[in-house]
Amino acid sequence: MPTYKLTYFNVRGRGELIRLLFAAGGIPYEDVRIEWDKWPELKSKTPMGQVPTLEVDGQLMICQSMAIARFVAREAGLLGKTSVDQARADMLLDGGMDLGKLFTEMVMEKDASKKAEKKKEFGEKSLPPFLALYEGFAGGNGYFVGDSLTWADIAFFNMMDFITAEYPSALDGYCNLNKVVDNVKTNPGVAKWLKERPVTDH
Amino acid sequence: MAPQYKLTYFNLRARGELTRFIFAAAGVQYDDNRIEFSEWPALKEKTPMGQMPLLEADGKVVCQSGAIARYMARETGLGGKSSWEEAQVDMFVCGVDDLITKLCDAHFASDEAVKEERTKALGPYVSKFLDNYEKLCGPEGHLVGTSLTYADLAFFVGMHDIWQHRADALEKYPKLAKVAETVRDNEGVAAYIAERPETNI
């Protein structure tokens, strides 16, 4: 079995989806978390001056969080069973990332009054239509694609983990979406990881 | 029977062009359905997420340009030959996406001061991008492996706006210049480029 090493900061950020996928797939890996002050010297050793990076067998390295996540999902059998299923999962993930971008812009806003305005706008204008749309995409069985867990479910769970920290009641009333979250949380690998993972602000 | 493909998008390159290049490079027929802005509102509510481009493949509908491109790359054998190659291809395509986002963020900024700041930052960003890609690029005219993948196509499509500013942008980047040449020399791509409509973006 190949050895995997994930390098990222000690935050969830762009690394957590990858960590959840390793966990769900029961794939062992080294979860390297670097301190901010170690970053400058490491930066030039990465393909594009960014983390996360994934190293395989100490030799091959890639960056770009979604490329890494997709690779791990594929190795874990969580990509989707057919080519069309995989395209559907990709579609749902990309749609989620569009929302995630808006959310991140809001969270990162430094001006307090602009942030309050963005927070209201996101909570009232961006989030509800997205959740209503995705409630329709999720099956009554609590899976976005087919009839078993895929990385589309896990990515949704991860994103809502961030969003419900700012909007605790966001998922109230969304039957199918709550089932998706449940299916992810009760996956044995994920359940174990959620209990053990370091607690970080973001 | 061969699958029936239909790509629906505006008459723009923007988020449809990479998929058009994939069809062209692979020599796969498809309906390149370019719609007018006036037709969009009526169509919008019939789409999965109220957005384009859309791909219809034998009656199944998918949106999100990245998902569409990756699916067609996979179906046409342009996605990479192994799981690890696929991951490398993804890495390069994601990096081009980041570049395009930076170009769009600068181009479409409404606040003049923000636009100026972002445009100024583009020069160093593009240099860093090209430096990185040259370092990572394979020696044989392909970013990944030894045959065409959609990483090469994505790079070529991403370079469009950079070449508008500087036709010699790849002068100091021999491996990347070779990738661009490989893409340009592909029969299907050459025919497509010769025939495609001229658009602003």
Side-chain angles (χ1 to χ4, degrees):
Chain A
M1 174 148 200
T3 55
Y4 296 112
K5 178 165 140 181
L6 177 73
T7 303
Y8 191 49
F9 300 115
N10 183 25
V11 292
R12 285 172 289 124
R14 293 189 182 285
E16 197 61 10
L17 174 57
I18 301 164
R19 295 180 184 125
L20 284 163
L21 291 168
F22 272 123
I27 300 176
Y29 72 108
E30 197 186 338
D31 182 17
V32 175
R33 293 165 186 249
I34 60 171
E35 296 301 318
W36 303 105
D37 60 0
K38 291 279 182 291
W39 173 229
E41 68 184 70
L42 182 61
K43 192 173 156 103
S44 57
K45 303 192 180 119
T46 64
M48 296 187 191
Q50 295 170 324
V51 279
T53 57
L54 181 73
E55 225 172 302
V56 179
D57 289 336
Q59 297 173 21
L60 310 169
M61 188 189 273
I62 56 169
C63 63
Q64 289 289 343
S65 59
M66 290 314 291
I68 296 170
R70 188 171 295 102
F71 174 73
V72 177
R74 187 163 46 244
E75 298 304 297
L78 292 170
L79 215 50
K81 291 193 164 69
T82 64
S83 189
V84 170
D85 277 353
Q86 289 175 27
R88 208 182 133 79
D90 271 344
M91 173 183 87
L92 294 170
L93 248 126
D94 284 357
M97 275 166 56
D98 285 350
L99 185 81
K101 185 167 186 236
L102 289 175
F103 178 73
T104 305
E105 274 168 23
M106 183 273 288
V107 167
M108 306 274 274
E109 175 61 61
K110 295 199 170 65
D111 178 300
S113 72
K114 273 198 192 140
K115 180 165 177 167
E117 199 182 305
K118 282 187 179 173
K119 184 162 178 178
K120 186 161 183 277
E121 171 131 4
F122 182 85
E124 288 174 10
K125 299 241 169 68
S126 308
L127 188 55
F130 173 87
L131 292 175
L133 186 63
Y134 274 58
E135 173 75 4
F137 286 133
N141 54 8
Y143 301 114
F144 276 117
V145 180
D147 51 13
S148 58
L149 197 72
T150 65
W151 72 313
D153 306 311
I154 298 174
F156 178 79
F157 165 81
N158 185 48
M159 186 178 71
M160 291 314 297
D161 205 18
F162 286 98
I163 290 179
T164 51
E166 298 277 337
Y167 306 92
S169 58
L171 284 178
D172 285 4
Y174 290 105
C175 211
N176 295 343
L177 295 178
N178 277 300
K179 282 202 190 126
V180 169
V181 167
D182 254 357
N183 282 337
V184 174
K185 272 161 105 163
T186 54
N187 169 279
V190 171
K192 183 167 185 284
W193 172 247
L194 292 177
K195 259 198 354 225
E196 296 174 348
R197 69 177 172 179
V199 177
T200 55
D201 281 344
H202 36 254
Chain B
M1 187 185 145
Q4 304 286 308
Y5 297 114
K6 178 166 150 183
L7 180 73
T8 303
Y9 191 47
F10 297 115
N11 182 24
L12 301 171
R13 286 172 285 113
R15 294 196 179 285
E17 201 64 357
L18 175 55
T19 299
R20 294 183 184 122
F21 266 68
I22 292 168
F23 277 117
V28 168
Q29 298 282 20
Y30 72 112
D31 179 359
D32 183 12
N33 184 29
R34 296 172 187 243
I35 69 169
E36 299 299 320
F37 292 111
S38 57
E39 293 175 74
W40 174 229
L43 180 60
K44 190 175 156 109
E45 50 191 49
K46 303 193 183 122
T47 65
M49 294 186 190
Q51 294 171 326
M52 293 198 290
L54 289 175
L55 179 76
E56 285 163 80
D58 283 341
K60 300 192 180 70
V61 182
V62 159
C63 66
Q64 292 290 342
S65 58
I68 292 170
R70 187 173 305 99
Y71 173 73
M72 282 318 308
R74 191 166 49 243
E75 292 301 293
T76 57
L78 293 173
K81 293 194 158 48
S82 64
S83 184
W84 185 249
E85 266 199 11
E86 285 184 57
Q88 290 175 278
V89 167
D90 263 347
M91 175 181 80
F92 282 112
V93 174
C94 286
V96 170
D97 228 39
D98 283 352
L99 170 72
I100 292 177
T101 299
K102 275 278 188 302
L103 293 171
C104 288
D105 281 353
H107 186 87
F108 293 108
S110 46
D111 182 301
E112 274 309 310
V114 169
K115 187 175 168 119
E116 201 186 313
E117 195 186 317
R118 287 181 183 171
T119 306
K120 214 162 140 223
L122 279 181
Y125 185 88
V126 170
S127 290
K128 200 86 242 279
F129 168 84
L130 293 174
D131 287 348
N132 284 332
Y133 273 52
E134 179 73 13
K135 199 175 68 187
L136 299 165
C137 186
E140 315 197 21
H142 300 292
L143 285 166
V144 180
T146 54
S147 58
L148 193 74
T149 67
Y150 90 116
D152 302 319
L153 301 176
F155 173 73
F156 186 88
V157 170
M159 281 301 296
H160 188 107
D161 289 295
I162 298 175
W163 276 319
Q164 304 279 58
H165 284 286
R166 291 185 41 219
D168 64 349
L170 292 184
E171 203 181 27
K172 301 199 193 102
Y173 301 100
K175 289 196 279 177
L176 294 178
K178 213 161 164 207
V179 171
E181 200 184 305
T182 305
V183 172
R184 247 186 234 110
D185 286 348
N186 173 283
E187 211 178 296
V189 168
Y192 174 66
I193 291 178
E195 295 167 353
R196 67 177 167 175
E198 285 283 321
T199 57
N200 282 344
I201 61 166

